[in-house]
Amino acid sequence: MREDADPTAVDGASEAPPARDAEGNLSGAFRDAVEAAIATRDVDRLKALTADLHEADMGDLIEELDGDERRRLIELLGDAFDFTALTELDETVRLGILRGLSPLTIARGMRELDSDDAVYILEDLDEGEMAAVLEHLPAPERVALQRSLDYPEESAGRRMQTEFIAVPPFWTVGRTIDYMRETVDLPETFYEVFVVDPGYRLIGSVSLDRLLRTRRPMLVTQVKADQLKVVKASQDQEDVARMFERYNLVSAPVVDDAGRLVGVMTIDDVVDVIQEEADEDLRALAGVGSDEELSDTVGYTARSRLPWLVVNLGTAFVSASIIGLFEATIEKMVALAVLMPIVASMGGNAGTQTMTVAVRALATRDLSSHNARRIVSREVLVGLLNGVMLATLLGIIAALWFSNLQLGAVISAALVMNMIAAGLFGILIPLAISRLKLDPAVASGVFVTMVTDSVGFFAFLGLATLWFGAR
Amino acid sequence: MREDADPTAVDGASEAPPARDAEGNLSGAFRDAVEAAIATRDVDRLKALTADLHEADMGDLIEELDGDERRRLIELLGDAFDFTALTELDETVRLGILRGLSPLTIARGMRELDSDDAVYILEDLDEGEMAAVLEHLPAPERVALQRSLDYPEESAGRRMQTEFIAVPPFWTVGRTIDYMRETVDLPETFYEVFVVDPGYRLIGSVSLDRLLRTRRPMLVTQVKADQLKVVKASQDQEDVARMFERYNLVSAPVVDDAGRLVGVMTIDDVVDVIQEEADEDLRALAGVGSDEELSDTVGYTARSRLPWLVVNLGTAFVSASIIGLFEATIEKMVALAVLMPIVASMGGNAGTQTMTVAVRALATRDLSSHNARRIVSREVLVGLLNGVMLATLLGIIAALWFSNLQLGAVISAALVMNMIAAGLFGILIPLAISRLKLDPAVASGVFVTMVTDSVGFFAFLGLATLWFGAR
């Protein structure tokens, strides 16, 4: 919804196929029409097709084009291309496009953007490339971007928008509204007006609905919010997301170490962070790198997934050597080899259930030292309860399968033990890892399955040796 | 930040311990102070302690109290208790509290709430309980809540707020602002003003910043947004969340089937939906019920986790019977029993990696029929590449361990096969499940590990039988 789109283009677009199909996916007909226009270099048609497109839809469109078409689309559209669309792309695709454009073209695109979007696009470039783009920007914008880029990655300083409205404490509501009516260069969207002292130190904030429902002569300091949640520029973006979520915020001021207002964080950036964070936990639990994207190459993907697989190879040898201890028993009774993976696999599943609940509860701070003891005993009891149920079932089937009642008894006992171990270590391992200030999502899985495999094999083969080895 | 909190209480609160410690958790000293005040029934102290508390902090506090203290806290606070805090609780805890309060007390609490919060609290009650509460509400509020509750669970109609500001198209910006200044009973927070025709059909929307930066004589229809994203009341909340996320919305109008404006969805509700949805995927992948909460009882938790474990028992028998086919081979060479879990486990891990990426890509619509072919071949190649690397490592170690070069060759070949199967089925299974319009997160895990276990055992033991059985 940028205002610089050519209004006459709307008519031309009316004969274009709709951009999205009934299921909300980009429609094939629309993509074909765009590809045809790119191929024939029909700039007018291309502008007509894309004039009404939201940046998010433009992002989806770009991802479906091939590398060469992407570059030509942007070149053909020229000033009509809204660089905000680049924020909607996978990092790999974005970098590919940026490296095909001249620094001058990129700089021209950046000038139209909110500072947070510009920083998001530029931060992945390497230092030389970034300097080349910044060089082509006017000084005030260059300085503002540079200041954001100086904050650490994934900090509020990187995600904040440096465009905001700040007024002095002696202004009235009326004067503030008049100021907004008269000023042309306001931020594109905003949800609050800040009150600052002459040193730009934050005094308070007035939400727009408050401003609208208050009479003009009131001072802004009289209508500012009682409780103000403030973000520090150096704060980690996940902390900020947690704060927005907890207190249902839509926007919050960002201050530097001296308490000076330097920017504003808005909910749309935070939504992305929340999404990313939940995704990171999910991927970490499965041993997939948090930055893996569908557009990554085979080589990159394989390399990034290899480390976890190597670790798993190591832990698999641990459980294999436990089996190795009982070679003699297995040789006497091959049925043990047939049944032993069942005990290990059931424990692995139960352990993963407990671990997943624990990892998420730690991430959302629902699990803390205060209730840890209660949750640990709950998980052990759940393991015991389900262990007894499943062990009965497994024991009967195993006894029938091998016509051996005692084998059924042994596997039942082993399963109960392993299910209890699964409940216990499924929660103790993530708790211990988080005590060490490491991310429990990343490393818990390896250790939990190592424990449940080892306990499973050891309990089953050990009990079998005691029972049958004595005969 | 409710305005009905007793302002004199603030002084009393200054001697209270801070509610949160440095890490952002609820402080133990604060909880102790509240518990002491509850025990001595010191209402003034209790009001002083909690007057400044945000609803989210009050929610955390309630969760840390025991069942009896929770009820007494609410009774002692009386009208000073903000029922919004109940929306921050686990469902189990909320229901426990509601069932300890009289319908009249609940109804009195509901009157102070936004309609979306009231619906959120009431929807978990059973029909009789709900009717008893609604009976105590004045007709207009009862009708509004009833209308929301008539929409299906997890629909926009349930999550929407029915308080909003709507003005006719012939109003000017000035008249709209004057109306807001003069009206006392406005929604607590709002981000846009809707324009409707006399039949309440939606014509457009004006954001507050737009209203503030426009001169008074302009008509609201002249400043309304060009592109308006509208939510249908019957729409699933996940679709709405996807729309908010895609188009960076903060609020959106909700219309009924006739296009009449019935409510507004705001970003704070959507953030919860996004969080829940990512959580659901994560839990589903681990076989944990999406509604499981830390406050659930042992019995409930065990029961809810049992079904997946039973299914896993079934699939474990499938792979066990594959091992059973090769009993004779294992009897001749027990080393096979020692090594076979390694092949299965590595495949399981690689399959889980691929499956996790696929499930999330399907959920975020990054994976569709358009790019499925490319992603499938990428995953197979990743499996082949990592398979060859890991097989070399595994082959060497196995050959050294059992001083048997041929055993090393056999296990290497088996691992490569299983890693390719993991890549292939890790993506084909979620794709197939999603084609059947089922949730790939729920059922993929069982089938993927069944395939990797079975292929792992079959490839390794089968190759070993061919190779060594012939001697």
Side-chain angles (χ1 to χ4, degrees):
Chain A
M1 271 190 295
R2 298 189 66 87
E3 281 121 319
D4 51 9
D6 179 5
T8 61
V10 177
D11 293 322
S14 63
E15 40 167 312
R20 294 201 169 265
D21 61 23
E23 286 185 22
N25 293 315
L26 205 72
S27 88
F30 179 76
R31 191 186 60 241
D32 294 344
V34 170
E35 284 182 323
I38 294 175
T40 56
R41 304 196 152 269
D42 185 345
V43 176
D44 291 338
R45 171 78 175 152
L46 210 51
K47 282 190 181 167
L49 280 169
T50 59
D52 265 357
L53 221 51
H54 187 279
E55 63 220 33
D57 298 326
M58 177 60 103
D60 281 0
L61 172 65
I62 291 175
E63 294 216 328
E64 296 212 353
L65 300 176
D66 67 36
D68 206 41
E69 287 174 330
R70 287 170 187 161
R71 201 178 35 73
R72 275 161 63 198
L73 170 74
I74 296 172
E75 283 170 3
L76 289 171
L77 283 177
D79 282 349
F81 179 74
D82 177 0
F83 274 71
T84 315
L86 296 188
T87 63
E88 309 280 339
L89 302 176
D90 275 0
E91 188 184 322
T92 325
V93 178
R94 183 166 53 243
L95 272 178
I97 291 175
L98 289 176
R99 296 208 162 121
L101 298 173
S102 74
L104 182 63
T105 312
I106 301 175
R108 213 145 40 193
M110 293 304 108
R111 293 201 56 178
E112 303 291 320
L113 298 187
D114 287 337
S115 67
D116 54 340
D117 290 334
V119 167
Y120 189 84
I121 290 171
L122 294 180
E123 67 181 358
D124 297 327
L125 293 175
D126 59 42
E127 246 170 80
E129 296 167 323
M130 207 188 288
V133 174
L134 289 174
E135 205 171 86
H136 290 285
L137 283 171
E141 288 170 31
R142 187 171 63 232
V143 171
L145 289 187
Q146 194 62 62
R147 189 160 54 161
S148 278
L149 287 164
D150 283 346
Y151 285 107
E153 265 186 73
E154 311 217 319
S155 69
R158 281 283 179 100
R159 292 284 79 82
M160 72 187 180
Q161 189 178 320
T162 51
E163 297 91 3
F164 52 79
I165 301 177
V167 301
F170 53 84
W171 277 24
T172 61
V173 166
R175 179 155 178 196
T176 306
I177 295 181
D178 291 342
Y179 164 79
M180 288 191 270
R181 289 214 181 105
E182 285 151 18
T183 312
V184 183
D185 195 24
L186 290 181
E188 210 179 323
T189 47
F190 55 95
Y191 309 103
E192 53 186 337
V193 170
F194 300 109
V195 185
V196 293
D197 74 6
Y200 247 75
R201 270 180 299 269
L202 184 68
I203 296 174
S205 156
V206 184
S207 68
L208 298 192
D209 59 358
R210 202 73 194 266
L211 214 50
L212 277 166
R213 59 172 105 179
T214 310
R215 289 170 194 282
R216 289 179 58 93
M218 293 274 273
L219 282 176
V220 285
T221 45
Q222 291 176 290
V223 294
K224 72 181 167 61
D226 312 328
Q227 285 188 318
L228 185 59
K229 304 288 172 194
V230 180
V231 174
K232 285 201 175 136
S234 54
Q235 216 171 327
D236 187 83
Q237 59 177 7
E238 288 193 13
D239 285 351
V240 180
R242 185 87 50 232
M243 188 176 111
F244 267 69
E245 216 182 326
R246 179 184 291 278
Y247 298 112
N248 292 333
L249 305 179
V250 162
S251 118
V254 182
V255 298
D256 65 11
D257 290 338
R260 273 186 306 260
L261 183 65
V262 290
V264 55
M265 281 279 289
T266 50
I267 184 76
D268 53 320
D269 305 312
V270 171
V271 166
D272 296 339
V273 174
I274 292 173
Q275 182 76 273
E276 271 169 35
E277 198 193 337
D279 251 21
E280 265 175 35
D281 277 359
L282 191 98
R283 285 152 178 261
L285 280 170
V288 179
S290 61
D291 58 346
E292 186 183 312
E293 291 170 342
L294 280 190
S295 48
D296 288 339
T297 61
V298 171
Y300 182 84
T301 309
R303 243 190 342 270
S304 86
R305 290 192 197 164
L306 192 59
W308 160 276
L309 292 171
V310 171
V311 173
N312 184 63
L313 187 59
T315 61
F317 269 109
V318 172
S319 33
S321 39
I322 288 178
I323 303 174
L325 299 176
F326 300 98
E327 275 191 60
T329 314
I330 296 174
E331 208 153 17
K332 263 203 275 179
M333 194 175 195
V334 182
L336 298 177
V338 176
L339 291 174
M340 67 184 187
I342 300 181
V343 182
S345 148
M346 295 301 293
N349 270 278
T352 305
Q353 288 180 334
T354 300
M355 178 189 77
T356 304
V357 172
V359 165
R360 282 307 285 171
L362 282 167
T364 57
R365 299 220 175 138
D366 285 335
L367 177 58
S368 63
S369 50
H370 181 257
N371 59 357
R373 187 182 296 264
R374 188 175 67 76
I375 306 293
V376 170
S377 51
R378 185 188 79 149
E379 290 299 328
V380 171
L381 284 173
V382 168
L384 174 65
L385 216 67
N386 280 343
V388 170
M389 308 253 237
L390 293 162
T392 312
L393 198 61
L394 175 60
I396 293 172
I397 303 176
L400 291 175
W401 187 358
F402 292 95
S403 315
N404 186 338
L405 206 64
Q406 298 178 30
L407 186 60
V410 165
I411 202 169
S412 291
L415 184 60
V416 173
M417 288 182 199
N418 203 20
M419 291 287 288
I420 294 175
L424 188 63
F425 289 96
I427 186 139
L428 286 186
I429 290 173
L431 270 175
I433 293 176
S434 107
R435 280 282 161 81
L436 299 172
K437 308 273 172 211
L438 300 172
D439 181 358
V442 175
S444 294
V446 204
F447 294 112
V448 171
T449 39
M450 190 179 79
V451 168
T452 54
D453 277 358
S454 303
V455 172
F457 292 136
F458 189 81
F460 181 49
L461 297 174
L463 283 175
T465 306
L466 283 179
W467 197 303
F468 302 112
R471 281 194 310 187
Chain B
M1 273 189 296
R2 298 190 63 91
E3 281 122 318
D4 52 8
D6 179 4
T8 61
V10 178
D11 293 322
S14 62
E15 40 166 313
R20 295 202 168 266
D21 61 22
E23 287 185 20
N25 295 314
L26 205 71
S27 90
F30 179 75
R31 192 186 59 241
D32 293 344
V34 170
E35 284 183 323
I38 294 175
T40 58
R41 304 196 151 269
D42 185 344
V43 176
D44 292 337
R45 171 77 176 154
L46 210 52
K47 283 189 180 167
L49 280 168
T50 59
D52 266 358
L53 221 52
H54 187 278
E55 62 219 36
D57 298 325
M58 177 61 102
D60 282 0
L61 171 66
I62 291 176
E63 293 216 328
E64 297 212 354
L65 300 176
D66 67 37
D68 207 41
E69 287 173 331
R70 286 170 187 161
R71 199 178 36 73
R72 276 161 62 199
L73 171 74
I74 296 172
E75 283 170 3
L76 289 170
L77 283 178
D79 282 349
F81 179 74
D82 177 0
F83 274 70
T84 316
L86 295 188
T87 62
E88 309 279 339
L89 302 176
D90 276 1
E91 187 183 324
T92 326
V93 178
R94 182 166 54 240
L95 272 177
I97 291 174
L98 289 176
R99 297 210 161 119
L101 298 173
S102 73
L104 182 63
T105 312
I106 301 175
R108 214 146 41 195
M110 294 303 107
R111 292 201 57 179
E112 303 291 321
L113 298 188
D114 287 337
S115 65
D116 54 341
D117 290 333
V119 168
Y120 189 85
I121 291 171
L122 294 179
E123 67 182 357
D124 298 327
L125 293 175
D126 60 43
E127 244 170 82
E129 296 166 323
M130 209 187 288
V133 174
L134 289 174
E135 205 171 87
H136 290 285
L137 284 171
E141 288 169 31
R142 189 173 59 234
V143 171
L145 288 187
Q146 194 61 63
R147 189 161 53 164
S148 279
L149 286 164
D150 283 346
Y151 286 106
E153 264 186 72
E154 312 216 321
S155 68
R158 280 283 179 101
R159 293 285 79 83
M160 72 186 180
Q161 189 178 321
T162 52
E163 297 90 5
F164 51 80
I165 301 177
V167 301
F170 54 84
W171 277 25
T172 61
V173 166
R175 179 156 179 196
T176 306
I177 295 180
D178 291 343
Y179 165 79
M180 286 191 270
R181 288 213 182 107
E182 285 151 18
T183 312
V184 184
D185 196 24
L186 291 180
E188 210 179 322
T189 48
F190 54 96
Y191 309 105
E192 52 186 339
V193 170
F194 300 109
V195 185
V196 293
D197 74 8
Y200 247 74
R201 270 180 298 271
L202 183 69
I203 297 174
S205 157
V206 185
S207 68
L208 298 192
D209 58 0
R210 202 72 194 266
L211 214 50
L212 277 166
R213 61 173 105 179
T214 311
R215 289 172 194 281
R216 289 179 59 92
M218 294 274 275
L219 282 177
V220 285
T221 45
Q222 290 176 290
V223 294
K224 70 181 168 63
D226 312 329
Q227 284 188 322
L228 184 59
K229 302 288 172 193
V230 180
V231 173
K232 285 201 175 138
S234 55
Q235 217 170 328
D236 187 83
Q237 59 177 7
E238 288 193 12
D239 286 350
V240 179
R242 186 88 50 231
M243 188 175 111
F244 267 69
E245 215 181 325
R246 178 183 292 279
Y247 298 113
N248 292 334
L249 305 179
V250 162
S251 117
V254 182
V255 298
D256 65 11
D257 291 338
R260 274 187 306 258
L261 184 65
V262 290
V264 56
M265 282 279 290
T266 50
I267 184 77
D268 52 322
D269 305 311
V270 171
V271 166
D272 295 339
V273 173
I274 292 174
Q275 183 73 273
E276 272 169 35
E277 197 192 338
D279 252 19
E280 266 176 35
D281 277 0
L282 191 98
R283 285 151 177 261
L285 281 169
V288 179
S290 62
D291 59 346
E292 186 183 314
E293 291 170 342
L294 280 190
S295 49
D296 289 339
T297 61
V298 171
Y300 181 83
T301 309
R303 245 191 339 271
S304 86
R305 290 193 198 162
L306 192 58
W308 158 276
L309 291 172
V310 171
V311 173
N312 184 63
L313 187 59
T315 60
F317 269 109
V318 173
S319 33
S321 36
I322 288 177
I323 304 174
L325 300 176
F326 300 98
E327 276 190 59
T329 315
I330 296 174
E331 207 152 16
K332 262 203 275 178
M333 193 176 196
V334 182
L336 298 176
V338 176
L339 291 174
M340 66 185 186
I342 300 181
V343 181
S345 150
M346 294 301 293
N349 269 278
T352 304
Q353 288 180 333
T354 300
M355 177 188 77
T356 304
V357 172
V359 164
R360 283 308 285 170
L362 282 167
T364 56
R365 298 221 173 136
D366 285 336
L367 176 59
S368 62
S369 51
H370 182 256
N371 60 356
R373 188 183 295 264
R374 188 175 66 77
I375 306 293
V376 170
S377 52
R378 186 188 78 149
E379 290 300 328
V380 170
L381 284 172
V382 168
L384 175 66
L385 215 68
N386 279 344
V388 170
M389 308 252 238
L390 293 162
T392 313
L393 198 61
L394 175 59
I396 293 172
I397 303 178
L400 290 177
W401 186 358
F402 292 95
S403 316
N404 186 337
L405 207 63
Q406 298 178 29
L407 187 60
V410 166
I411 202 168
S412 292
L415 184 60
V416 173
M417 289 182 198
N418 204 21
M419 292 286 289
I420 293 175
L424 187 63
F425 289 96
I427 186 141
L428 286 186
I429 289 173
L431 271 175
I433 293 176
S434 110
R435 280 282 161 83
L436 299 172
K437 306 273 173 211
L438 299 171
D439 182 357
V442 175
S444 294
V446 204
F447 294 112
V448 170
T449 40
M450 190 179 79
V451 168
T452 53
D453 277 357
S454 303
V455 171
F457 292 136
F458 190 82
F460 180 50
L461 297 175
L463 284 175
T465 305
L466 285 178
W467 197 304
F468 302 112
R471 281 193 308 186

